[in-house]
Amino acid sequence: QHLSLWLVGCLEVSDAGVAAIAKNLPDDLQELTLSLKFCEKVSDLSVAMIAKHLPKSLKEMDLNFNCCAVSDEKVALTEKLEAMKNWTPTVRHDIKTPVPARPSAPAQAPEHVEGTERAKRHIKAQFQAADRAGDGRLSSNELKICLEKLRFSRAECRSVFDKVDSNHDGAISCEELSAWVFKSENKKALDRLLGL
């Protein structure tokens, strides 16, 4: 039995929602594909809930947590089925089942606007995480770390510092990084970032 579930841009999906999915995985499940992208309320707790409720019959697993609040350590753990099966997480038992969606949702912005805003928030979050000095500027090394988390290849990371440093002050601001990512010649990179 195979289960595939893709949730993209579901801003209301939280750890409680993932917990409900994990608790209801079929006992005879053999393959699981779960992809969560731009689900900002999904954190390490979701990975713990999935690990706790993995069926013993599971033979293949593909978990993807792009642009979620899941730590790099837990993302790395999800890459190996045996590691997930052998992990004994400490999980809170007070996770509530998600409340059903409201009957009338507020008007939504067009999809490309939402994607762009999510991408900008993600760029800013990754920038802040890479800014180890906390000075609002990235060194060449910090930029490499940031770009790798934004799904750029190592080759791309090596060649971009001078292109991104538009004022040539030897450091990268968040504004410079965002402006560079959204330039038309970087469409492939932006598409990867938006999950297109």
Side-chain angles (χ1 to χ4, degrees):
Q1 190 176 27
H2 180 85
L3 174 65
S4 294
L5 181 61
W6 287 271
L7 300 170
V8 179
C10 300
L11 300 178
E12 295 305 313
V13 172
S14 66
D15 290 324
V18 175
I21 292 167
K23 289 176 183 178
N24 290 294
L25 291 173
D27 291 335
D28 61 344
L29 186 66
Q30 293 187 8
E31 294 179 37
L32 172 63
T33 301
L34 179 59
S35 182
L36 296 126
K37 295 182 180 183
F38 298 104
C39 300
E40 298 167 349
K41 295 179 182 177
V42 172
S43 71
D44 287 356
L45 184 57
S46 289
V47 177
M49 290 303 295
I50 292 168
K52 180 176 180 171
H53 295 285
L54 279 178
K56 292 185 184 349
S57 60
L58 198 65
K59 292 182 176 27
E60 290 185 42
M61 174 185 76
D62 183 15
L63 302 179
N64 186 342
F65 294 96
N66 283 340
C67 306
C68 296
V70 177
S71 70
D72 291 343
E73 175 189 351
K74 295 301 184 267
V75 168
L77 180 69
T78 66
E79 292 173 359
K80 296 183 180 161
L81 177 59
E82 284 310 308
M84 285 287 284
K85 283 185 172 182
N86 293 328
W87 180 38
T88 308
T90 306
V91 180
R92 296 186 333 223
H93 294 284
D94 61 339
I95 296 178
K96 306 271 187 287
T97 303
V99 177
R102 291 168 281 176
S104 60
Q108 297 291 321
E111 187 177 319
H112 70 280
V113 173
E114 282 187 7
T116 302
E117 291 306 312
R118 283 194 307 270
K120 286 180 181 177
R121 286 194 307 269
H122 183 62
I123 290 167
K124 184 175 182 179
Q126 294 304 328
F127 180 94
Q128 290 171 338
D131 182 15
R132 299 194 193 280
D135 59 0
R137 300 159 42 95
L138 298 182
S139 66
S140 176
N141 247 1
E142 289 172 325
L143 177 66
K144 180 179 153 276
I145 292 167
C146 182
L147 289 176
E148 285 177 353
K149 289 188 179 197
L150 292 173
R151 302 174 64 192
F152 287 77
S153 71
R154 288 179 189 229
E156 288 170 314
C157 293
R158 282 191 293 269
S159 68
V160 299
F161 188 86
D162 291 332
K163 295 175 190 173
V164 179
D165 187 14
S166 59
N167 65 2
H168 307 291
D169 66 350
I172 306 299
S173 69
C174 191
E175 293 76 22
E176 286 175 312
L177 179 61
S178 289
W180 179 80
V181 168
F182 284 96
K183 281 184 180 176
S184 61
E185 66 262 22
N186 300 322
K187 181 167 179 8
K188 275 187 179 178
L190 181 58
D191 286 350
R192 277 198 320 260
L193 177 62
L194 292 173
L196 301 176

